[in-house]
Amino acid sequence: QQPVQSPQAVILREGEDAVINCSSSKALYSVHWYRQKHGEAPVFLMILLKGGEQKGHDKISASFNEKKQQSSLYLTASQLSYSGTYFCGTESGSYDKVIFGPGTSLSVIP
Amino acid sequence: DAGVIQSPRHEVTEMGQEVTLRCKPISGHNSLFWYRQTMMRGLELLIYFNNNVPIDDSGMPEDRFSAKMPNASFSTLKIQPSEPRDSAVYFCASSNQGGSYEQYFGPGTRLTVT
């Protein structure tokens, strides 16, 4: 079951903050976040594991609510380089496959 | 580290032809994933291998698609015969220890079937 992401698209001015949400109808073991720039491959940002462990990025933070089966990615003081499509991926069990959501398009303008 | 290597980067072929996409994962990684990305369907997992063994191929669209991983440093995705609806960008990714670890994506192969 593909996770749901919101919003579908967002436009920010440099320096503004954004939150991207991801939710699943299934119990989750982990949530993954990737960013893809146009014409490039997805690049890893962060993994949040059940139990609170995080592996990831210095400048981006995220939360994982296991009970609600939701995760949010927080982008603060956005920079032009933050533009791209953000994908969440969900995993229902350890060593299970990651199912990616449809993506959220983020555009940062000067 | 060279990262995940994919070839060819672009492939244009006619309907009915066989297409073979190639991937070299990062040395030392033991999991390999094949994804397909289209505007309509997003980023879909086709198949993934762990220690060269296919673990989940439920995303493979139909029998026209097949994937192999004969050794830890090489994998192929084959489409035979190809159809226009197979046009997409195909990504290969590798990771340590499967899904709970970060995946490193290759640059992708843009396939166009006319």
Side-chain angles (χ1 to χ4, degrees):
Chain A
Q1 191 84 17
Q2 187 183 48
V4 175
Q5 287 187 237
S6 64
Q8 283 188 307
V10 58
I11 299 174
L12 299 175
R13 292 200 178 274
E14 265 187 297
E16 292 181 337
D17 301 340
V19 180
I20 300 173
N21 301 301
C22 175
S23 64
S24 173
S25 59
K26 295 177 69 173
L28 300 177
Y29 175 78
S30 72
V31 178
H32 301 222
W33 287 97
Y34 286 76
R35 176 170 62 207
Q36 184 178 29
K37 293 185 179 287
H38 183 68
E40 299 181 7
V43 174
F44 169 78
L45 294 176
M46 180 167 292
I47 292 176
L48 302 103
L49 299 172
K50 188 175 177 179
E53 183 181 354
Q54 289 189 27
K55 307 177 193 178
H57 202 281
D58 290 336
K59 299 182 180 179
I60 294 173
S61 63
S63 64
F64 178 21
N65 186 323
E66 297 166 30
K67 282 189 178 178
K68 291 186 178 179
Q69 296 154 199
Q70 294 174 347
S71 176
S72 294
L73 187 72
Y74 304 97
L75 304 162
T76 56
S78 59
Q79 304 170 18
L80 295 175
S81 62
Y82 286 9
S83 293
T85 301
Y86 289 77
F87 292 95
C88 76
T90 55
E91 185 186 14
S92 296
S94 179
Y95 300 110
D96 199 359
K97 61 187 177 186
V98 176
I99 307 296
F100 285 97
T104 293
S105 173
L106 181 82
S107 299
V108 181
I109 58 176
Chain B
D1 196 334
V4 176
I5 298 172
Q6 290 188 246
S7 65
R9 294 291 308 275
H10 301 273
E11 177 82 32
V12 179
T13 191
E14 290 183 352
M15 179 176 160
Q17 296 298 307
E18 177 180 297
V19 174
T20 300
L21 311 182
R22 296 172 176 80
C23 176
K24 177 178 169 54
I26 291 172
S27 177
H29 282 186
N30 62 359
S31 293
L32 183 139
F33 309 82
W34 281 102
Y35 292 92
R36 178 173 67 178
Q37 187 173 39
T38 61
M39 288 295 292
M40 291 297 295
R41 301 177 69 90
L43 192 60
E44 303 174 273
L45 176 68
L46 300 178
I47 185 171
Y48 89 89
F49 295 84
N50 187 254
N51 293 322
N52 311 336
V53 176
I55 302 299
D56 189 324
D57 65 354
S58 59
M60 296 287 264
E62 46 198 277
D63 291 346
R64 298 185 297 106
F65 285 69
S66 62
K68 293 182 179 179
M69 191 163 187
N71 57 62
S73 59
F74 184 66
S75 177
T76 59
L77 178 68
K78 187 178 291 187
I79 308 172
Q80 165 64 10
S82 58
E83 297 182 2
R85 60 191 169 125
D86 301 331
S87 297
V89 179
Y90 291 80
F91 289 105
C92 173
S94 71
S95 79
N96 267 324
Q97 302 298 337
S100 298
Y101 290 74
E102 62 189 279
Q103 296 182 26
Y104 294 83
F105 282 75
T109 295
R110 181 173 294 277
L111 174 66
T112 303
V113 184
T114 60

